[in-house]
Amino acid sequence: MNTAEILSRLNIANLNEMQEKTIASMAENKELILLAPTGSGKTVAFLIPLIESLDRDIKTLQALILVPSRELALQIESVLKKIQPGFKIVSCYGGHKREIEENNLVQTPAIIIGTAGRMADHIRRQNVDVSKAKFLVLDEFDKSLELGFVEEMKFIIKSMPSVEYRMLTSATNSLEMPEFVGMKNPATLSFTNPDSSKDDLRIYTILSDDKDKLETLFKLLCYTGNTSSIVFCNHRDAVERTSNYLNEQGINNVFYHGGMEQIDRETALVKFRNTTADVLVTTDLASRGLDIADIRNIIHYHLPNDEAAFTHRNGRTARMQATGNVYVVYSADEKMPAYITEHASAFDIPAEVELPAKPKWSTLFIAAGKKDKINKMDIVGFLTQRGRLKSDEIGLIEVKDFTAFVAVRKSKLGPAIELIKNEKIKNKKVKIAVAR
């Protein structure tokens, strides 16, 4: 498969400068460090040379992509599935049943996308042999270091003596290369932009009259209205407290953090993506690896821990030539760091703001998915024929391995559920309910 075929399947007209230079560099160098901001297209940049390196005559593992989070693993897997390279691909990550992964690994894949902890576990259990893999990608490597996966990555890389191509990506350039990575003379491409005040990203500071800043946050979300917004907090308990307060005040939102069950995290992200909720309250877990388009506002309810965290949070908006707003909410006793103030301007929330209108969509949960041979067209057919919904009353559909989620016009949801509650989808009775 060549580059033109890959771009065609991804519906991409042209590569950007970073992607072109990355692919050209990998053709000349066996070791590459790529520094580029979140949302710039790094995944496509490393997947093209990786796919072009695969050999159909080789039946052992050929490439390993190590990532810091399950969300990033799923995002890369979804891009590969769109490309359909004709090779077996397996994802391995925490929160996924290990037994399912073990079954998927019985027939050796050509590509594995995995988190360090889960991959180290599979290697120790001898579920997979990585010793002959020739292509290694360490995606968002700095985040893996931050999360403390050093020992696992050391073990994995030590188990890969046949690696010929090593590629490391990072969104920040403040990175010291550990010796265990095994890079001897890497080429480096840097596309990081030190200027946070670029035209497409507007940064504002908002002084809160109250110390806990909740009322200020509420008024700000009333001001931003029904536009997609992510609210960043520094701790899990603060995420839930903030989310509960906003719900009490009438701001429809979902929350997301690392302490949640996987199904609850998936549901929250689905609701945010399909506009059942316009506001996502989260920790820095959502600052990388999430594939969510058209986020208009980033709100720092808590000040970021450092400049790198500030950069990663902001990277969720103003992506691919779109514009975005960053709001930093602070109280009088908080000291604003220079990396924020030197690029920001003060902002006063208007005195009169109105509560945003409720979302027009709700999310339907279906307890069946890809492994049950159910796809998007099956769901559309079921809802139009059995639920008597029109095509414009059905929104975004996401089908997972064992579940599916469908956005449905809120005004039509009740009648549709009554019509389908005793019906079968593809001759199978499955649980269908409003997603909680």
Side-chain angles (χ1 to χ4, degrees), residues 383-431:
L383 292 177
T384 54
Q385 294 168 24
R386 306 297 186 189
R388 298 179 190 172
L389 292 174
K390 298 176 182 177
S391 58
D392 62 354
E393 294 166 347
I394 302 171
L396 183 69
I397 300 174
E398 296 192 32
V399 184
K400 313 292 185 181
D401 282 348
F402 299 101
T403 58
F405 300 88
V406 190
V408 176
R409 287 279 181 189
K410 188 176 289 186
S411 59
K412 302 293 182 179
L413 186 64
I417 288 179
E418 281 299 309
L419 289 169
I420 63 178
K421 64 181 181 181
N422 295 317
E423 297 288 343
K424 295 179 180 180
I425 181 168
K426 291 195 79 171
N427 298 316
K428 184 177 181 181
K429 187 73 171 70
V430 298
K431 176 185 176 183

Side-chain angles (χ1 to χ4, degrees), residues 8 119-120 143 162 178 221 223-224 261 264 289 292 368 401 429:
S8 175
M119 279 307 303
K143 186 63 176 179
S162 301
L221 290 170
Y223 167 77
T224 58
E261 293 293 328
D264 296 328
I292 304 174
D401 282 348
K429 187 73 171 70

Side-chain angles (χ1 to χ4, degrees), residues 324-374:
N325 304 305
V326 173
Y327 298 96
V328 183
V329 184
Y330 70 105
S331 60
D333 61 349
E334 288 183 301
K335 184 179 179 181
M336 292 280 284
Y339 62 78
I340 295 178
T341 56
E342 65 185 3
H343 297 300
S345 55
F347 180 81
D348 292 321
I349 302 171
E352 298 296 327
V353 290
E354 294 183 358
L355 191 67
K358 297 295 184 183
K360 296 178 181 179
W361 297 90
S362 288
T363 299
L364 199 62
F365 168 82
I366 300 173
K370 296 174 185 174
K371 299 293 186 181
D372 304 293
K373 309 300 182 185
I374 289 175

Side-chain angles (χ1 to χ4, degrees), residues 128-371:
V128 62
D129 179 7
V130 298
S131 65
K132 295 179 177 63
K134 296 186 181 301
F135 207 112
L136 173 65
V137 178
L138 303 173
D139 196 19
E140 300 216 353
F141 179 69
D142 54 324
K143 186 63 176 179
S144 292
L145 291 181
E146 287 175 22
L147 294 173
F149 292 128
V150 173
E151 292 306 315
E152 289 89 346
M153 286 190 294
K154 278 184 180 178
F155 170 72
I156 293 166
I157 295 172
K158 187 178 179 181
S159 303
M160 302 178 69
S162 301
V163 171
E164 295 179 7
Y165 297 92
R166 298 171 196 262
M167 185 170 178
L168 183 152
T169 80
S170 173
T172 58
N173 54 15
S174 56
L175 179 68
E176 291 186 14
M177 183 62 57
E179 188 175 334
F180 71 81
V181 173
M183 287 191 172
K184 297 177 175 60
N185 188 29
T188 300
L189 292 177
S190 180
F191 293 87
T192 55
N193 185 357
D195 183 10
S196 302
S197 60
K198 58 183 181 178
D199 293 339
D200 53 3
L201 186 65
R202 299 177 290 265
I203 302 177
Y204 304 102
T205 58
I206 300 174
L207 177 61
S208 174
D209 293 332
D210 55 313
K211 187 175 180 179
D212 71 2
K213 304 183 285 190
L214 283 171
E215 185 178 352
T216 302
L217 175 62
F218 167 68
K219 290 179 179 177
L220 175 58
L221 290 170
C222 289
Y223 167 77
T224 58
N226 297 106
T227 54
S228 183
S229 304
I230 298 183
V231 178
F232 280 103
C233 302
N234 287 347
H235 309 287
R236 295 174 181 177
D237 58 346
V239 165
E240 297 195 24
R241 181 174 75 99
T242 303
S243 175
N244 290 337
Y245 172 83
L246 293 175
N247 277 324
E248 290 168 2
Q249 301 304 310
I251 299 286
N252 190 277
N253 74 93
V254 290
F255 67 85
Y256 174 87
H257 60 67
M260 300 164 64
E261 293 293 328
Q262 177 67 6
I263 184 62
D264 296 328
R265 289 163 65 169
E266 283 185 355
T267 303
L269 293 180
V270 167
K271 287 182 175 181
F272 187 53
R273 275 193 289 263
N274 69 20
T275 70
T276 293
D278 291 317
V279 178
L280 174 69
V281 186
T282 183
T283 60
D284 282 338
L285 178 65
S287 66
R288 308 196 203 189
L290 297 187
D291 185 17
I292 304 174
D294 304 322
I295 296 169
R296 190 60 186 270
N297 308 299
I298 297 298
I299 301 172
H300 301 264
Y301 177 67
H302 287 152
L303 296 183
N305 290 321
D306 51 38
E307 186 172 2
F310 185 62
T311 300
H312 292 312
R313 289 177 176 184
N314 296 346
R316 296 294 91 200
T317 189
R319 304 175 72 177
M320 307 304 287
Q321 287 77 55
T323 59
N325 304 305
V326 173
Y327 298 96
V328 183
V329 184
Y330 70 105
S331 60
D333 61 349
E334 288 183 301
K335 184 179 179 181
M336 292 280 284
Y339 62 78
I340 295 178
T341 56
E342 65 185 3
H343 297 300
S345 55
F347 180 81
D348 292 321
I349 302 171
E352 298 296 327
V353 290
E354 294 183 358
L355 191 67
K358 297 295 184 183
K360 296 178 181 179
W361 297 90
S362 288
T363 299
L364 199 62
F365 168 82
I366 300 173
K370 296 174 185 174
K371 299 293 186 181

